[in-house]
Amino acid sequence: MRHFTMSSAARRPSRLFRNFSAKIASVPMILTALVVFVGGTLWTVLYSFTNSRLLPRLNFVGLDQYERLWATPRWLVSIENLAIYGILSLIFSLVIGFVLAALLDQKIRFEDTLRTIFLYPFALSFVVTGVVWQWLLNPDFGVQAVVRSLGWESFAFDPLYNSSIVIYGVLIAALWQGTGFVMCLMLAGLRGIDEDIWKAARVDGIPAWRTYLFIVLPMMRPVLVTTLVIIAAGIVKVYDLVVAQTSGGPGIASEVPAKYVYDYMFFAQNLGQGFAASTMMLLSVAIVIVPWAYLEFGRRR
Amino acid sequence: MATPQTLEQFQQKCAAVLRPGLRKNKELERFRVSVKNGNALAADGPRGPKPRHAFSKRNIFIYGTLFVVAVYYLLPLYVMVVTSLKGMPEIRLGNIFSPPMEITFEPWVKAWATACTGLNCDGLSRGFWNSVRITVPSVILSIAIASVNGYALANWRFKGSELFFTILIVGAFIPYQVMLYPIVIILREIGLYGSLSGLVVVHSIFGMPILTLLFRNYFASLPEELFKAARVDGAGFWSIYLRIMVPMSVPIFVVAVILQITGIWNDFLFGVVYTRPDTYPMTVQLNNIVNSVQGVKEYNVNMAATLLTGLVPLIVYFISGKLFVRGIAAGAVKG
């Protein structure tokens, strides 16, 4: 299995056979990159301009699918939900994650136990999370019923049956599942900060919260950016949680784009709509990722 | 705790803050000036942390907050366990937080063996075994492929290898929905659509980016002399991989296994798209049991089923401890 030895090479072996085993071994990676990631994406974008219904057909209709998409109330609700859910879960998971990490970083006892408790929901699937919170938020038996039985008769908190606040019910479940992970990333970032920065700040008499806000946070920029990107990429993909917790209901009040795509592709047999919707999802991810990738990797060159 | 011995050392340590170009703000600026003016000298005073009282205001605040948050995180797990051990009459009367008056394991038996999903009434056991048959080969295959990829990328770069790797990493951010249908077509063409093997292929594909990154970074951190020495001894691509790289990288393989078991076991989207009802994984079956419209809702059976579905990743999580944290953070932070 020697590919390139000085002695035996009377003539240079052709370039294709240099490093041949490595190339063979990389075939699955090359196929995945080219066929699935690049090919699949281009294919979907291309077919989003056709009127494919049950089967994909190359019958181009221009931007028709997109016009129809943006005229569909269900899609508009999905986008609105995603925006509310996205912005709030970004803010809350970053804030809660950071505060928990900062609290755990105070050289406290039981740190391992507490971290284990905060992180265990992250090991559970979104389906499990959704089903549990569906039960906890059940208006007849769950939190609302318990608070009422304690004497507060008019207490109302039934996100899963109230279409105007249902997305906040989903948000609560998502935060329960995901903040532990954000906390872990933040904790790793905090541990990377030099101990002496803290000492110097203390000597200077800067209160702890200001040290965190104005000295430590700016120094944690790389971790913050990575966390932000990971959360953002996860938000767009949110699907199983909604399916398990609300099935998109009541009515269409908690629909999300990923569910719209799945339902149009595999139930409504309207592939063109599904492709157009998924292309819009791709676009929204690109808006987040491209500037980040440019800042992160473009600068290094 | 490393205490700096001299003023020079201390100022060196502060270089990170003193470095110009960091985002400007008043606090940082003042801090910088004062470090320059030699407040560091004060650090030569009494050493070690300030002695604290166990019940200082600060401690009560920290432990109080953490305790409340911990209760919030544990509550759903507690409610799941408690509900799954109650009978239905008790659930209808009592509240969800009260412990069961009479413990019954019937819901667990029913969830495992007789709960109905659609037409089948053989409970979650079918989904469990499907999930096992999906997870085991997927974990092995995806890690085998990704570790060889990482090895090739770290030690045997060829023209274009970095480009494919970049595509792979960028691909990790593409929403799965974009690639769902093309993969349906590919699987149908090679005759794997609807089968468990098809799903195994899908998991190997989508596990590839993060795992390849993981292995590439790890292999790149191993001493290069080792690799060179093996080359000089005439070892080739595969023998270096099998005899040197794999035995030296057991920790990272463990991390990858943890990452993949939880990830694949918890998958829902690929399971529902690429399998048929009789090959549905556990998560899909759980969703069907809980959210089926027909019949009376049996919350205790639902919660037992939920716990059963969450059991495998929870066990992996509690056994692996710190390795789990490393696993989920590894790909993320280094990227």
Side-chain angles (χ1 to χ4, degrees), chain B residues 67-182:
Chain B
F67 179 75
V68 171
V69 178
V71 168
Y72 172 77
Y73 274 86
L74 283 174
L75 215 54
L77 187 64
Y78 166 77
V79 170
M80 266 193 274
V81 174
V82 170
T83 309
S84 74
L85 295 174
K86 290 178 190 168
M88 265 321 275
E90 198 187 329
I91 290 178
R92 285 201 200 90
L93 291 174
N95 79 46
I96 54 169
F97 298 115
S98 61
M101 286 180 285
E102 225 176 295
I103 291 178
T104 163
F105 290 98
E106 216 173 299
W108 285 75
V109 176
K110 188 165 183 200
W112 176 256
T114 58
C116 291
T117 54
L119 298 172
N120 307 318
C121 277
D122 46 7
L124 269 178
S125 53
R126 172 201 293 271
F128 176 82
W129 291 114
N130 281 339
S131 275
V132 170
R133 283 191 292 158
I134 292 164
T135 306
V136 173
S138 301
V139 170
I140 295 170
L141 187 67
S142 62
I143 290 177
I145 293 176
S147 61
V148 173
N149 283 345
Y151 165 60
L153 286 166
N155 297 103
W156 298 80
R157 291 192 187 183
F158 52 89
K159 211 180 167 209
S161 61
E162 285 298 299
L163 173 71
F164 296 126
F165 179 63
T166 311
I167 297 176
L168 214 60
I169 298 302
V170 172
F173 288 107
I174 302 175
Y176 298 140
Q177 281 72 19
V178 176
M179 294 170 280
L180 278 186
Y181 205 83

Side-chain angles (χ1 to χ4, degrees), chain A residues 94-110:
Chain A
L94 279 176
V95 171
I96 298 173
F98 184 77
V99 169
L100 286 181
L103 288 175
L104 279 189
D105 199 32
Q106 306 299 316
K107 300 200 182 65
I108 55 160
R109 300 168 83 184
F110 315 118

Side-chain angles (χ1 to χ4, degrees), chain A residues 164-182:
Chain A
S164 58
I165 55 169
V166 61
I167 198 67
Y168 303 103
V170 177
L171 182 70
I172 291 174
L175 288 177
W176 177 75
Q177 203 258 1
T179 35
F181 174 60
V182 179

Side-chain angles (χ1 to χ4, degrees), chain B residues 203-275:
Chain B
H203 280 305
S204 304
I205 287 174
F206 285 107
M208 214 185 281
I210 200 105
L211 289 183
T212 304
L213 180 73
L214 199 69
F215 282 109
R216 172 181 165 270
N217 288 352
Y218 191 85
F219 289 143
S221 72
L222 294 177
E224 225 200 329
E225 288 72 27
L226 211 73
F227 173 76
K228 280 184 184 156
R231 283 305 316 271
V232 171
D233 285 348
F237 183 88
W238 295 108
S239 63
I240 294 180
Y241 171 74
L242 290 173
R243 294 213 199 129
I244 295 171
M245 291 304 181
V246 175
M248 283 190 68
S249 317
V250 175
I252 204 69
F253 275 92
V254 175
V255 166
V257 168
I258 294 167
L259 196 69
Q260 284 299 87
I261 291 181
T262 43
I264 294 169
W265 191 275
N266 286 343
D267 159 70
F268 176 80
L269 180 66
F270 298 138
V272 83
V273 172
Y274 299 113
T275 54

